[in-house]
């Protein structure tokens, strides 16, 4: 049986409480998980027709968690690092902080340039993940003013 959006929000809030405990004990990826849960709550709030202010509050919480994850985590998984940068760009652009959001798109572009330089020297360097997240980030930037682009599916 599918659970309701309300019960899903409660489950994500419980996940946030767990992430808060994990953060206290310095468990890896706890800030990332916390940010992800807040994004899910914002999507559910939109689906339920809750106010933009309420959604923005949830996205602001997500942004704060992702920023801590991005600046204080030594990501052993580069795909997750790029996803975090993209998530920050998307949240900031959605919150109309486009200049700040573009900084994270630029970070992804810098990563791409660095990785492509390394790939010229070593065929073992993986460029797939950075290209994937940079492509998605550029599309986001190009379509940021299209209301249907932001619709929750």
């Amino acid at each position: 049986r599918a659970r309701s959006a309300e019960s899903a929000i409660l489950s994500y809030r419980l996940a946030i409480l767990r992430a808060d405990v994990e953060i206290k004990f310095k468990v890896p990826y706890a800030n990332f998980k916390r940010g992800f849960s807040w994004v899910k709550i914002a999507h559910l709030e939109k689906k339920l027709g809750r106010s933009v202010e309420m959604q923005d509050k949830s996205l602001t919480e997500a942004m704060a968690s992702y920023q801590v994850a991005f600046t204080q985590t030594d990501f052993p998984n580069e795909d997750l690092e790029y996803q975090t940068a993209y998530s920050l760009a998307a949240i900031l652009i959605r919150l109309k902080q486009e200049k700040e959001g573009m900084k994270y798109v630029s970070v992804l572009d810098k990563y791409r340039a660095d990785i492509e330089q390394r790939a010229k020297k070593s065929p073992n360097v993986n460029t797939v993940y950075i290209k994937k997240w940079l492509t998605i980030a550029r599309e986001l930037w190009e379509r940021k003013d299209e209301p249907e682009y932001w619709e929750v599916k």
Side-chain angles (χ1 to χ4, degrees), residues 104-116 130 134:
Y104 287 98
V105 176
S106 296
V107 165
L108 288 169
D109 197 40
K110 182 181 179 327
Y111 284 164
R112 181 207 43 83
D114 293 345
I115 290 166
E116 286 180 348
I130 188 59
L134 183 57

Side-chain angles (χ1 to χ4, degrees), residues 84-99:
T84 303
Y86 167 79
S87 296
L88 281 162
I91 291 167
L92 286 160
I93 291 167
R94 164 61 180 72
L95 293 174
K96 305 294 185 212
Q97 297 176 35
E98 294 175 358
K99 190 174 180 181

Side-chain angles (χ1 to χ4, degrees), residues 46 143-152:
K46 183 168 184 155
R143 297 186 63 195
K144 69 184 184 305
D145 296 322
E146 298 174 28
E148 65 277 3
Y149 187 74
W150 297 97
E151 287 304 311
V152 177

